[in-house]
Amino acid sequence: MRVVQFLIPDQGRRVGIVQDQMVIDLTSGNSELTRIYDIFQAAQKKQTSLNQLLTELSAASNAIERSYEDLLQAIPGGSHPWLLPPIDHPDPHCLFVTGTGLTHTGSMQSRDQMHAQETEQAETHQTDSAKMFAMGVAGGKPSLGERGVSPEWFYKGNGTTLCGHRDSLEIPDFALDGGEEPELAGCYIIDDNGIPRRLGFVLGNEWSDHETENINYLYLAPSKLRTCSIGPELNTDFDFSDLTIRCSVQREGQTIYESGDLKTGEQFMCHSLGNCEDHHFKYPQHRQTGDVHLHFLGTSKLSHGTRNWKYQTGDEIKIEAPGFSSPLINTVRKNESPDQTPIEVRPA
């Protein structure tokens, strides 16, 4: 199933299933189901699977069909229906955006190049990034029933940081740059028994500030506190074994970056999906009933280490994975009038 969420001005939110060039509007058949979150909860009450309920809803005789191409082309906030992130939560503070890095060979090479200059002995001693990657190679795919080595983990924010297809990715006034990270993210809801339930996977742009991170690897945490994007579809059937992703950047109609083929999935990672999920959900605070988790699973290549330009307002980033989802497209919005005035905290 390829699920989308969209908004019709003056009519509200909708959930739909992509079939060929059309979207079956599930909400038109049941007005109470306006999010994939609602459909998951309904499936739990019926004691059936998410895919089974989606199939039943898509067969409803009163469901309206809409043009998918029109939704893909619509700009958020306009007069035409537009796509939303394919997973969210009624309360954005109950959605956690997190991720894991150094899971792909290329990611280690990119990070190692950024941080090798931090030590005069880099030529003879491994950086911390290289050591972390080696730990994953040695113990990131444990046997069934065993706990493997922990991957790198980071926090990006809550649902307020989440953008959808054709939304703008922000470069805030305190940032040094923007940086694309084309990858897949797993989507999860915690059920009534505190068990994480995987809904499926989405294309994502785990937008970060690699120039800030490059100052010192201890700045990785704040460099991740940026907006990010997912979509346009939630793929509920992908087995996370083998997928080819491509990323390109256009400026004023000219291509300024092409990633080439980027391989992802367990075949191209030093950590298994189960190991990444275990080390995220082992924390009790990540297993609170009703919460949604969006967990980025790593990329194999960044443009930062090879380009001589910085992102500007209007740059368009496209991430595509044929056969998995329609492309995810976002533009960049940079604060052109930085305000370096410190935030004042006042007494209560």
Side-chain angles (χ1 to χ4, degrees), residues 18-37:
V18 179
Q19 288 190 357
D20 298 321
Q21 301 303 311
M22 304 301 292
V23 170
I24 300 175
D25 183 345
L26 304 183
T27 308
S28 66
N30 187 330
S31 61
E32 294 182 355
L33 304 177
T34 62
R35 304 174 189 264
I36 190 65
Y37 185 90

Side-chain angles (χ1 to χ4, degrees), residues 6-19:
F6 57 101
L7 188 142
I8 303 177
D10 301 323
Q11 296 184 38
R13 298 174 54 101
R14 296 287 192 275
V15 185
I17 294 177
V18 179
Q19 288 190 357

Side-chain angles (χ1 to χ4, degrees), residues 92-269:
H93 300 97
C94 292
L95 188 154
F96 296 81
V97 185
T98 56
T100 185
L102 295 174
T103 52
H104 297 66
T105 303
S107 66
M108 184 278 292
Q109 294 171 342
S110 296
R111 186 82 65 80
D112 205 37
Q113 289 172 356
M114 275 199 282
H115 302 316
Q117 62 189 17
E118 293 174 14
T119 172
E120 296 178 358
Q121 298 176 320
E123 294 183 1
T124 57
H125 290 74
Q126 284 186 317
T127 64
D128 286 340
S129 296
K131 291 176 182 177
M132 178 71 85
F133 181 79
M135 290 166 59
V137 171
K141 294 185 175 180
S143 300
L144 185 65
E146 296 182 359
R147 172 162 286 168
V149 68
S150 176
E152 176 193 36
W153 183 94
F154 59 83
Y155 173 74
K156 279 195 71 70
N158 57 31
T160 63
T161 69
L162 192 58
C163 299
H165 178 68
R166 293 199 181 276
D167 278 331
S168 293
L169 293 170
E170 181 186 9
I171 301 179
D173 54 14
F174 53 80
L176 300 180
D177 193 13
E180 84 298 329
E181 295 205 18
E183 53 196 272
L184 291 186
C187 302
Y188 308 86
I189 296 178
I190 311 303
D191 72 12
D192 290 343
N193 297 313
I195 299 172
R197 300 283 186 158
R198 187 193 314 122
L199 305 183
F201 300 91
V202 291
L203 276 180
N205 188 341
E206 196 268 287
W207 184 243
S208 300
D209 183 350
H210 301 124
E211 187 164 336
T212 291
E213 181 190 347
N214 196 28
I215 295 172
N216 187 297
Y217 78 95
L218 296 176
Y219 278 154
L220 182 142
S223 78
K224 294 293 186 182
L225 295 177
R226 304 290 186 272
T227 54
C228 61
S229 64
I230 60 169
E233 304 163 15
L234 167 67
N235 187 320
T236 66
D237 298 314
F238 182 61
D239 65 2
F240 199 74
S241 60
D242 181 357
L243 187 68
T244 300
I245 297 177
R246 295 181 66 91
C247 179
S248 62
V249 181
Q250 286 205 332
R251 176 174 294 170
E252 298 179 349
Q254 301 295 315
T255 300
I256 59 174
Y257 174 71
E258 282 274 8
S259 69
D261 288 350
L262 309 176
K263 302 297 291 185
T264 191
E266 284 191 330
Q267 293 186 33
F268 307 95
M269 295 171 62

